[in-house]
Amino acid sequence: MLLGDFGFAMTWSPVQTVEEYVGTLNYAAPEIVTHTPYTGPELDMWSLGALLLAMLTARIPFDAPTEEATALKITEAKFKMPVGVSSAAKDLLAKLLQPNPLKRATMMDVLAHPWMKTRFQQRTIPTHLGAAKKLRQEAACCHSSEAM
């Protein structure tokens, strides 16, 4: 299955943050909910985790009676692990739905994850995907030292 939604697509740079907060709340990363500047790919990885959670549970992720309650669930990464799925799938969900964007799985991590390897034929992983996480971490390091 291939899935794409380019409604809010944009060009990104691993060293430049964005302050545009758009998207569907239940699939939005904590950075969107808290209006925290972000780079881009880390939000996509969160949304991928929310989509995977929806597919494994057949429920809307982080659903709550109000938008405020939904936002709180997102910022705290509160969700029920699906019953009846493998420990590898649960591990992947935990890595994708990690509230700290610097600790969140990258696409490189997802493609190399055991749950993915058991389902899909090993494919060549583009080397630029792993570089994005390193550049984000270096940029975060530089931004935090500039603040001092």
Side-chain angles (χ1 to χ4, degrees):
M1 172 194 306
L2 294 175
L3 180 66
D5 178 359
F6 300 104
F8 297 110
M10 68 171 98
T11 303
W12 71 278
S13 165
V15 296
Q16 185 175 2
T17 58
V18 178
E19 295 184 34
E20 188 173 341
Y21 307 104
V22 296
T24 304
L25 180 60
N26 294 77
Y27 299 87
E31 300 90 304
I32 295 291
V33 173
T34 60
H35 290 237
T36 302
Y38 59 90
T39 307
E42 69 276 24
L43 272 66
D44 294 336
M45 301 316 328
W46 175 279
S47 296
L48 178 62
L51 182 60
L52 179 59
L53 181 62
M55 293 171 76
L56 292 173
T57 62
R59 296 177 192 269
I60 296 172
F62 305 103
D63 202 27
T66 66
E67 286 188 0
E68 292 79 15
T70 298
L72 183 61
K73 281 182 155 184
I74 290 168
T75 58
E76 295 178 353
K78 283 192 173 181
F79 63 96
K80 290 183 180 179
M81 279 292 184
V83 177
V85 300
S86 70
S87 58
K90 290 177 182 179
D91 180 67
L92 181 57
L93 280 171
K95 289 177 178 175
L96 287 167
L97 298 174
Q98 161 60 249
N100 181 336
L102 294 176
K103 293 181 180 178
R104 196 171 299 146
T106 63
M107 183 55 74
M108 190 84 156
D109 298 329
V110 171
L111 292 173
H113 194 275
W115 189 76
M116 292 294 289
K117 286 184 175 184
T118 61
R119 276 147 187 77
F120 302 99
Q121 195 175 33
Q122 184 63 32
R123 296 187 177 114
T124 304
I125 300 170
T127 56
H128 70 279
L129 293 175
K133 185 174 188 175
K134 183 178 180 191
L135 288 170
R136 278 201 329 264
Q137 289 171 333
E138 289 172 2
C141 175
C142 295
H143 290 307
S144 64
S145 64
E146 289 173 6
M148 292 181 175

